[in-house]
């Protein structure tokens, strides 16, 4: 039995029917040309034949010293037939039917008496493709780790027929690294143990002297209200080249363009509802703390930036400049900090999220930020799984109480795949944000090119 890390435990303790705490993805595959009518059934049976399950996929919450949700235990016999399911869409099998089905799956809580993950193969799409919806509890894994697991099951070889299952990935050797004195996590711990004031000073400097946008300064909007448990999902892909051209013409980063594109969409959506505040919206932007050779898929390792989205600015070029300046200034907070200091500063930024999960908090105080916008690195080449080409991979994350919508995107070869998840009651017209995202990108192109 292993103790659950404090941040991971928070996702378990805060979960309720109104607040599911799992992350998911919707992947679309084009079957190989020679695929028969039983291709998907046979693929699932091939997966189920591999019943060796790694720890991340076999652990479930346990009671420790009388306290629930504070420790992990391992299931010796994981019921893969339960965790890997197969369904078909009703006619006509369009994206609307697929997203309705996935929205229902994403609304349902994971069973805490079993390892907290599921995979759903979905057929019946009118265009001949099949979908794979997968979800894992955020206490088990963060978005970057989930993306890395997905990528390791795929290959760039369209003719490869060896099927790799996510719950039994081959072990990879860590690249040997030279450890320098007083660097890395051990060095940070040593420094902190010799002077606790160093952490406090780093946090104070990050939050005050370097002008990091503080929590509790975001305006209240129609997005920042108590939410229910039913979810609505909306997805769309955009060409990477379009955003890269704006990036090149404006001297900004790709993530700056993504944030400005999202800012323009949020501004238009709120204007459409006569609900745009005078103050700019603030986004929390997660940043991974994992090195490229960090193969530990367990737990959550993220820092956080707060970004001024400039939604009070009409001009798209000026809005992009504000977003870029805000991100550059706030990234400087973390420059020169060790891992432990980085976590301390990041914890000061996101600590209000814990209070946001308390009943009634959303109605009592201003939100610490208005929305979470995440950009998770994905595959840079066309990828395949048992000969099926990966057409899209839409990340689906977690709206929080007083955070009625979440925007997460990932790169997939030449595209950026956006996944929006919202409270169904608060945002029944969530799909309108997709149209506003397109309009916002077009406006950035017109202003920059």
């Amino acid at each position: 039995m292993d103790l659950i890390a404090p941040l991971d435990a928070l996702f378990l303790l805060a979960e309720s029917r109104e607040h599911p705490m799992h992350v998911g993805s919707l992947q679309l595959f084009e079957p190989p040309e020679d695929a028969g009518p039983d291709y998907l059934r046979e693929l699932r049976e091939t997966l189920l034949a591999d019943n060796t399950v790694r720890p991340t996929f076999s652990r479930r919450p346990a009671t420790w010293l009388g306290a629930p949700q504070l420790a992990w235990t391992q299931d010796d016999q994981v019921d893969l037939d339960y965790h890997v399911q197969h369904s078909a869409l009703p006619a006509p099998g369009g994206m609307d039917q697929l997203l309705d089905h996935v929205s229902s799956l994403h609304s349902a809580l994971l069973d805490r008496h079993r390892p907290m993950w599921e995979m759903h193969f979905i057929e019946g799409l009118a265009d001949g493709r099949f979908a794979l919806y997968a979800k894992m509890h955020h206490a088990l894994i963060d978005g970057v780790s989930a993306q890395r697991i997905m990528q390791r099951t795929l290959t760039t070889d369209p003719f490869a027929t060896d099927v790799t299952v996510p719950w039994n990935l081959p072990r990879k050797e860590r690249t040997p690294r030279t450890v320098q004195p007083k660097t890395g996590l051990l060095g940070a711990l040593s420094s902190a143990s010799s002077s606790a004031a160093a952490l406090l000073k780093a946090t104070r400097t990050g939050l005050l002297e370097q002008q990091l946008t503080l929590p509790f300064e975001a305006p209240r909007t129609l997005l920042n209200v108590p939410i229910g448990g039913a979810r609505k999902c909306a997805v769309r892909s955009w060409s990477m080249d379009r955003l890269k051209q704006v990036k090149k013409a404006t001297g900004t980063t790709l993530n700056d363009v993504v944030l400005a594109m999202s800012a323009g969409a949020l501004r238009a959506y709120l204007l459409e509802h006569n609900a745009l505040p005078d103050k700019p919206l603030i986004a929390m932007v997660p940043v991974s703390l994992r090195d490229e050779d960090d193969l530990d898929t367990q737990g959550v390792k993220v820092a956080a930036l707060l970004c001024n989205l400039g939604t009070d600015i009409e001009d798209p070029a000026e809005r992009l400049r504000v977003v870029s300046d805000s991100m550059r200034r706030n990234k400087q907070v973390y420059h020169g900090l060790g891992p432990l200091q980085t976590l301390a500063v990041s914890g000061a930024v996101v600590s209000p999220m814990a209070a946001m999960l308390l009943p009634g908090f959303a109605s009592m105080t201003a939100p610490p930020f208005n929305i979470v916008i995440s950009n998770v690195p994905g595959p840079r080449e066309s990828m395949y799984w048992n000969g099926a080409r990966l057409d899209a991979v839409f990340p689906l994350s977690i709206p929080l109480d007083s955070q009625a919508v979440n925007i997460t995107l990932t790169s997939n070869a030449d595209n950026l795949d956006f996944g929006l998840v919202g409270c169904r009651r608060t945002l029944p017209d969530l799909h309108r944000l997709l149209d506003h995202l397109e309009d916002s990108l077009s406006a950035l192109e017109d202003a920059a090119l």
Side-chain angles (χ1 to χ4, degrees):
M1 191 173 292
D2 300 320
L3 292 179
I4 300 177
L7 179 58
D8 300 344
L10 177 62
F11 288 102
L12 288 169
L13 295 170
E15 186 172 57
S16 66
R17 176 63 192 89
E18 289 74 28
H19 305 107
M21 290 290 167
H22 50 257
V23 292
S25 71
L26 173 62
Q27 302 170 38
L28 295 178
F29 289 91
E30 179 74 33
E33 292 183 1
D34 59 352
D38 294 327
Y39 173 84
L40 200 55
R41 178 185 60 80
E42 293 169 351
L43 174 58
R44 178 177 179 270
E45 290 177 353
T46 300
L47 295 175
L48 296 182
D50 189 340
N51 56 12
T52 301
V53 182
R54 301 291 186 192
T56 299
F57 287 82
S58 62
R59 54 175 48 189
R60 58 177 175 81
T63 299
W64 182 72
L65 298 179
Q69 324 306 343
L70 294 182
W72 295 115
T73 188
Q74 299 288 335
D75 260 5
D76 295 331
Q77 297 292 329
V78 178
D79 183 1
L80 292 176
D81 191 58
Y82 170 86
H83 289 275
V84 184
Q85 301 183 26
H86 184 189
S87 59
L89 297 175
M95 283 297 294
D96 289 343
Q97 284 75 42
L98 175 61
L99 289 172
D100 282 345
H101 183 46
V102 169
S103 296
S104 296
L105 294 174
H106 203 61
S107 302
L109 295 173
L110 287 161
D111 185 354
R112 294 195 179 199
H113 298 284
R114 302 174 183 269
M116 301 182 73
W117 62 275
E118 292 177 7
M119 293 174 58
H120 296 259
F121 286 102
I122 306 168
E123 62 181 337
L125 279 165
D127 60 12
R129 295 183 297 178
F130 70 89
L132 174 62
Y133 167 76
K135 64 179 178 181
M136 294 186 73
H137 203 280
H138 208 316
L140 277 176
I141 201 166
D142 58 40
V144 172
S145 294
Q147 185 72 279
R148 290 182 180 181
I149 287 177
M150 183 276 291
Q151 290 186 50
R152 289 182 62 195
T153 64
L154 305 174
T155 176
T156 57
D157 182 0
F159 303 105
T161 56
D162 294 335
V163 178
T164 302
V165 299
W167 56 84
N168 186 24
L169 292 172
R171 297 188 183 278
K172 292 178 65 176
E173 297 295 329
R174 290 180 179 271
T175 303
R177 304 177 69 183
T178 302
V179 179
Q180 301 292 336
K182 297 295 183 182
T183 61
L185 183 55
L186 292 179
L189 286 170
S190 175
S191 299
S193 64
S194 63
S195 175
L199 272 181
L200 297 176
K201 181 178 179 180
T203 304
R204 184 177 65 252
T205 300
L207 293 176
L208 301 177
E209 296 177 17
Q210 302 220 26
Q211 302 177 353
L212 181 66
T213 305
L214 290 173
F216 300 104
E217 290 190 352
R220 180 172 294 281
T221 75
L222 61 80
L223 306 176
N224 307 118
V225 295
I227 64 174
R231 299 287 175 256
K232 193 171 185 66
C233 301
V235 301
R236 191 174 295 180
S237 298
W238 276 270
S239 167
M240 185 90 72
D241 283 343
R242 293 181 64 187
L243 283 84
K244 284 183 175 179
Q245 289 177 11
V246 175
K247 163 196 163 183
K248 183 177 180 180
T250 57
T252 56
T253 70
L254 184 66
N255 203 45
D256 291 341
V257 179
V258 165
L259 290 168
M261 176 180 170
S262 301
L266 291 166
R267 172 184 165 86
Y269 182 86
L270 292 172
L271 280 171
E272 193 171 65
H273 290 79
N274 297 314
L276 180 69
D278 294 333
K279 294 177 63 177
L281 271 65
I282 304 296
M284 196 274 273
V285 184
V287 178
S288 176
L289 297 180
R290 296 183 183 275
D291 296 327
E292 289 190 7
D293 61 348
D294 183 353
L295 303 178
D296 180 11
T297 58
Q298 299 176 9
V300 179
K301 295 181 180 179
V302 292
L305 299 175
L306 293 178
C307 178
N308 177 355
L309 290 179
T311 49
D312 56 328
I313 299 170
E314 182 177 1
D315 180 63
E318 177 63 14
R319 191 183 311 123
L320 174 58
R321 186 194 65 77
V322 167
V323 167
S324 182
D325 287 348
S326 178
M327 286 296 288
R328 183 176 62 254
R329 183 174 64 250
N330 293 343
K331 284 176 184 177
Q332 291 173 354
V333 171
Y334 295 99
H335 289 173
L337 298 183
L340 193 62
Q341 294 170 327
T342 297
L343 286 171
V345 175
S346 182
V349 175
V350 301
S351 57
M353 290 180 68
M356 287 165 56
L357 300 173
L358 298 174
F361 175 85
S363 61
M364 293 189 303
T365 185
F369 39 82
N370 300 102
I371 188 171
V372 178
I373 303 177
S374 304
N375 186 352
V376 181
R380 300 177 182 178
E381 304 174 80
S382 295
M383 306 297 288
Y384 298 83
W385 195 32
N386 192 40
R389 187 184 72 240
L390 178 67
D391 279 355
V393 50
F394 301 109
L396 303 173
S397 194
I398 306 172
L400 301 171
D401 205 23
S402 83
Q403 305 278 323
V405 65
N406 174 285
I407 299 176
T408 306
L409 60 139
T410 188
S411 53
N412 175 37
D414 297 328
N415 288 333
L416 281 175
D417 297 338
F418 281 67
L420 281 58
V421 181
C423 168
R424 193 178 193 97
R425 181 185 63 198
T426 308
L427 299 169
D429 57 348
L430 179 66
H431 62 280
R432 287 289 298 147
L433 269 174
L434 297 176
D435 296 330
H436 291 313
L437 282 167
E438 169 59 30
D439 293 342
S440 180
L441 178 56
S442 296
L444 285 168
E445 292 172 318
D446 291 341
L449 304 178

